[in-house]
Amino acid sequence: MMDWRVGVWTAVGLTYATWSAAEATWMARRRGSGGKPLVSERRSTLIMVGAGVLGEVGAVALAWRAPTVPLAADRTRAAAAALPAVWAGLALRWWAVRTLGTHFRATIDIREDQPVVRTGPYRHVRHPSYTGGLLAVAGAAAVLNDAPAWLVLTGSTVAALLYRIHTEDAILIHHLGPDYTDYAATTPRLIPKVW
C-alpha cells in the first residue's frame, strides 16, 4: 500500500502539471482569435507575470531555509490541507474562462462584439478568474509551509491583481459604457458580497 505522503506529493505534482498545461492551452487558443481588438492593454499582464515570478522566487528563497513560522506540523500536512484550495481555485478559474468562451484573453482586449457577461460565476463577482487564481496561489503558497513565504507569494499576487482589476474596470467602463457601469455598481470585484 502506498504511503499517504507519496499520494499527497503525487497529487501536488499532478495539480501543478495540470495547472500549467491549462494556462498554456488557454493562452495559446486565444492568441490571435477573434480578429484585431479595438483596445488592447498589455502592461497589467506583464505586471501580473512579473509579480508572480518575483513572488515565487522570493517565497521559495524564504522557504528554502528552515521555516521560521510553519503553517502545519510538517510540509506534507500543509500540502494535504492546501490542495483543496488549489483545486477549488482552479475549478473557479476554469468555470470563468469557459463562461467567457471566445471573449477570454490573457490581456485586456476589447472587441467590437464585446458583451458584458453576467452568467456563470460572473453573477457573483466581476473577476471570478482572478478570484480563482488568487485562491489557487494562496493554496500553492501554503504548500511551502512557511508563513513569511506564504505572505510574499500571496501578497505579490494580491498587489498585481489590484492593479489589474483597477486597469480592467477603467477600460471596460470607458468602452462598454452604462451597461458595464450598471453591472459594476451591483456586482463585487473579487469576493462575493464583500469587495
Side-chain angles (χ1 to χ4, degrees), residues 28-176:
R29 290 172 88 195
R30 299 299 182 237
R31 192 175 344 141
S33 66
K36 186 170 172 55
L38 300 172
V39 175
S40 186
E41 190 280 335
R42 293 180 175 3
R43 179 183 303 158
S44 64
T45 302
L46 294 174
I47 287 171
M48 286 178 49
V49 170
V53 169
L54 290 175
E56 287 174 23
V57 169
V60 169
L62 283 171
W64 191 263
R65 64 188 180 10
T68 54
V69 185
L71 299 171
D74 65 49
R75 196 165 165 215
T76 302
R77 291 188 198 290
L83 276 174
V86 175
W87 295 333
L90 294 178
L92 178 56
R93 184 157 164 71
W94 177 83
W95 185 22
V97 169
R98 292 282 298 172
T99 301
L100 283 181
T102 59
H103 298 289
F104 171 78
R105 299 284 184 284
T107 56
I108 301 171
D109 288 356
I110 304 295
R111 312 236 166 212
E112 202 167 306
D113 63 341
Q114 182 78 38
V116 175
V117 176
R118 300 170 191 256
T119 59
Y122 293 88
R123 290 177 303 207
H124 308 288
V125 291
R126 296 197 307 262
H127 305 286
S129 108
Y130 303 154
T131 302
L134 180 57
L135 183 58
V137 167
V143 170
L144 297 171
N145 196 31
D146 183 69
W150 183 88
L151 284 171
V152 165
L153 185 48
T154 305
S156 66
T157 302
V158 168
L161 283 176
L162 291 176
Y163 177 78
R164 173 66 168 234
I165 288 168
H166 172 75
T167 303
E168 188 168 334
D169 279 347
I171 290 171
L172 290 170
I173 287 169
H174 180 76
H175 291 281
L176 300 183

